[in-house]
Structure formats: C-alpha cells, structure tokens
Amino acid sequence: PDAVFDLLARLVARSLVESDTEGTEARYRLLETIRQYAQERLEASGDATRVRDEHAHYYAAFGEIAAAGVMSPAELEWWQRFSREIDNVRVALMWAINNADVDATLRLLALDEARMVTFSPELSAVLRPAAESVLAIPGIADDPRYPSALLCAAMHCYARGDLEGVARYCDEALAAERRLGVEPNPSVWNTRIWVALSEGQVDEYVEYAERALAICRRRDERAPRVMALTGAAMAHALKGDDMAVATA
C-alpha cells in the first residue's frame, strides 16, 4: 500500500531505516540499535510468539513458491530472490524446530530436495545440519513427510563422510515410506548409490539404480526419469553389462 511506502521513505530520510536498491528489488533494514529496541518492544507487547510463528510460515510458503519458480523460465530471477532470503530461512527453521512446529519445519526442510539446493552451499548449510534436530520433534514420525527429513539427515551424514549414517537413515526412510504408505522417493535409492560407489559395491550400485529408475518410470516424470536412466546405464556399464540392459 502507498501508506507503507510513504512511511518507509520518511524513515529512510531520517536515517532510521537503511535502503538497499542495488538489486532488482529495493530492500529495507533497520539499524542495529533500532532493531534491538524494536525487539525489546515486541517482547514486552506479548506478541513475539505470534509474529515469529507468522514469520516461519511466511518463509515456508515463500520457499515453496521459489522452488516452483526455479523450475520455470524465470529460474534465474527466482534464484536471485530466494538467495537474498537464506538468513530468514535459517531463522524461520530454527524457530519452527525449537517450537515443535511440525508443518513449518517440514515445509522448510523440503527445500533440500528442491533444485535450488544444488546451486547453494549456503542453503545446504542451513538445512542439512538441522535435520537430526528435526527428527527429535515429538510426533513428527507420524507425518507423511517424515521420510524426507530422514533423507535430509542422510545427506548431512554423507557430507561428513559418515557412510554408516547414510545407510542407516536411508533404511529408516524406506521403512517410514512403507509404514506411512507414502509414494517411494527415488532420491533415497540415489543416495544409497553414493554409499555403494564409495565402498566399491558394484552389484549394489546396479540394484539401487534400477530401483530408482523403476520409481521414476511409474511416476512418468520426464526429467527425473532421464536422470535415472543415465544412472542405470552408468551402473550397468561399470558392471560390464550391455548398455541396452539399462535402457530396455
């Protein structure tokens, strides 16, 4: 609304708010002393919990919109917009975890499976180290999205070189998919592939690649299916099989 922009302009003119107009969108931030005062007033008002809850759910929704945006022709624009909000995602996730907000937590953690995480070590550094704390939230194991949290924990173990942890969390994710009756996620098998490759287990590599491919074929999603076909072909080639076996 115009009234909001007028107020911001007056605050900037009085040096109470800083304006950053270098990007495609103007951004505003409070001076640190003003921010601390505002936080004290918020705490004193008794409204802090509601505001932080709203902040967490806002960024959960924003992340979902951005995840869809990076799969569109406006990929670069959406990635630039989202990358400026990673600190807000961090704060939102920590608040959601500490307050056992299962919905906001899992919506934010789902960004780990979005395309944007591939290009953002900063986002990975926010999401994956938090995964094991997420698993401790009461009641979260009954949520259909729980297997994705286990997969995120597996990814964090892989980054630390903990292959035993990767295998354990992947096995738990597969068990949780069966228990909860949710659609299998090919990413679980793809993650198991890394363990098999690291340990030189070629037969297991082929098996996991075929399982991931079977899931992608059932889903009939073009991009994941192409990636799964490539992975299966590489697995069979490594084993010495005819390449046609993987693409049949």
Side-chain angles (χ1 to χ4, degrees):
D2 291 341
V4 173
F5 290 115
D6 290 342
L7 175 59
L8 277 172
R10 292 199 300 272
L11 291 172
V12 170
R14 295 178 183 178
S15 298
L16 296 173
V17 169
E18 294 178 325
S19 175
D20 179 1
T21 57
E22 289 186 4
T24 56
E25 297 178 338
R27 295 176 65 82
Y28 299 90
R29 64 177 63 88
L30 294 173
L31 298 176
E32 182 59 22
T33 52
I34 302 299
R35 188 195 66 78
Q36 291 176 0
Y37 175 73
Q39 184 171 338
E40 291 173 1
R41 296 295 298 170
L42 179 62
E43 297 287 353
S45 73
D47 227 13
T49 296
R50 179 187 63 80
V51 170
R52 289 177 176 133
D53 283 344
E54 290 181 357
H55 177 271
H57 282 270
Y58 174 87
Y59 277 98
F62 177 77
E64 291 165 349
I65 294 169
V70 298
M71 298 299 291
S72 75
E75 174 186 359
L76 180 59
E77 176 187 345
W78 273 106
W79 168 242
Q80 290 173 338
R81 288 184 65 183
F82 182 81
S83 65
R84 294 194 292 268
E85 303 295 346
I86 289 177
D87 283 341
N88 275 309
V89 170
R90 178 186 294 107
V91 171
L93 180 60
M94 291 302 100
W95 173 261
I97 293 172
N98 292 335
N99 288 273
D101 187 332
V102 171
D103 182 61
T105 296
L106 291 176
R107 290 170 70 192
L108 288 161
L109 204 67
L111 294 172
D112 189 62
E113 290 198 67
R115 181 176 178 179
M116 64 183 78
V117 80
T118 306
F119 305 103
S120 176
E122 295 86 356
L123 182 58
S124 295
V126 169
L127 301 176
R128 293 178 180 176
E132 291 183 332
S133 297
V134 170
L135 300 179
I137 296 176
I140 201 166
D142 296 324
D143 192 286
R145 297 165 291 182
Y146 179 63
S148 294
L150 289 163
L151 177 59
C152 189
M155 300 286 280
H156 184 50
C157 287
Y158 185 77
R160 300 196 315 253
D162 178 9
L163 298 184
E164 183 179 335
V166 176
R168 182 178 70 256
Y169 281 125
C170 283
D171 286 346
E172 290 183 19
L174 293 169
E177 287 175 348
R178 293 190 294 270
R179 175 174 59 84
L180 296 167
V182 298
E183 184 177 4
N185 184 346
S187 294
V188 178
W189 292 108
N190 287 332
T191 304
R192 289 298 305 266
I193 284 173
W194 300 343
V195 178
L197 283 173
S198 298
E199 297 181 343
Q201 299 171 339
V202 178
D203 289 341
E204 286 80 358
Y205 174 21
V206 172
E207 177 191 348
Y208 302 156
E210 288 290 349
R211 286 179 179 268
L213 177 58
I215 294 169
C216 290
R217 279 176 167 155
R218 289 199 299 272
R219 289 183 171 186
D220 197 25
E221 296 173 351
R222 182 177 177 81
R225 183 175 178 179
V226 169
M227 293 178 64
L229 277 167
T230 302
M234 291 174 62
H236 282 281
L238 185 62
K239 189 178 179 183
D241 293 336
D242 188 324
M243 291 290 282
V245 173
T247 57

